[in-house]
Amino acid sequence: MTNGIDFYIANTSKEAAISEKHVKFDEDLYHYLLTREGYPAKRYSLLINLDQYNDRFFSPNEISELILICERLLNEYSLKTKKRWKTDNFTWRINILAENLKTLCLFALEENKKVFAAGD
């Protein structure tokens, strides 16, 4: 299992612990984006400047910002093909992360819940 940050739809840490819906932002991908953006990252800062070793709840406004970050990542790292073997590994993984995190955030807003980020 890789370290990183797990995102859950939850209003409490106990609720996150039993949640089946989550998105993993693995450590390799985190470091790849951090290296590309620099620290502290100006673009995508709400996502990239997260502490991998602490937990955090996102407010509805921050969840909306995470959705925008996901959309920007999808635009910047757009896939030219749906054939994984023809795509750079990190580009493919960024797309998976951005699509899944965006969906999780939209569900959280729809359910009037927070997004909980749990560091490893």
Side-chain angles (χ1 to χ4, degrees), residues 4-5 8 11 24 29-31 37 47 51 53 61-62 72-73 82 93 98-99 101 113 115 118:
I5 302 167
Y8 300 91
N11 286 331
K24 179 77 167 182
L29 193 55
Y30 172 84
H31 285 294
E37 296 300 319
L47 180 65
D51 184 344
Y53 303 103
N61 286 341
E62 290 172 322
R72 289 183 194 129
L73 285 169
K82 294 294 182 189
R93 291 169 55 202
E99 287 175 5
L101 184 57
K113 297 214 175 213
V115 169

Side-chain angles (χ1 to χ4, degrees), residues 2 57 71:
T2 61
F57 284 98
E71 289 173 352

Side-chain angles (χ1 to χ4, degrees), residues 86-115:
K86 290 186 177 183
T87 303
D88 169 79
N89 186 44
F90 281 109
T91 300
W92 184 266
R93 291 169 55 202
I94 289 167
N95 273 264
I96 300 285
L97 170 70
E99 287 175 5
N100 291 340
L101 184 57
K102 179 181 174 182
T103 299
L104 183 110
C105 289
L106 289 169
F107 279 132
L109 290 176
E110 185 177 296
E111 295 176 11
N112 202 24
K113 297 214 175 213
K114 295 177 182 173
V115 169

Side-chain angles (χ1 to χ4, degrees), residues 33 37 42-47 62 64-79 94-95 98-99 102:
L33 287 170
E37 296 300 319
K42 291 182 179 32
R43 295 182 323 151
Y44 318 127
S45 63
L46 186 61
L47 180 65
E62 290 172 322
S64 295
E65 187 177 338
L66 281 174
I67 292 168
L68 291 174
I69 288 169
C70 290
E71 289 173 352
R72 289 183 194 129
L73 285 169
L74 288 167
N75 285 332
E76 182 173 345
Y77 296 92
S78 64
L79 294 175
I94 289 167
N95 273 264
E99 287 175 5
K102 179 181 174 182

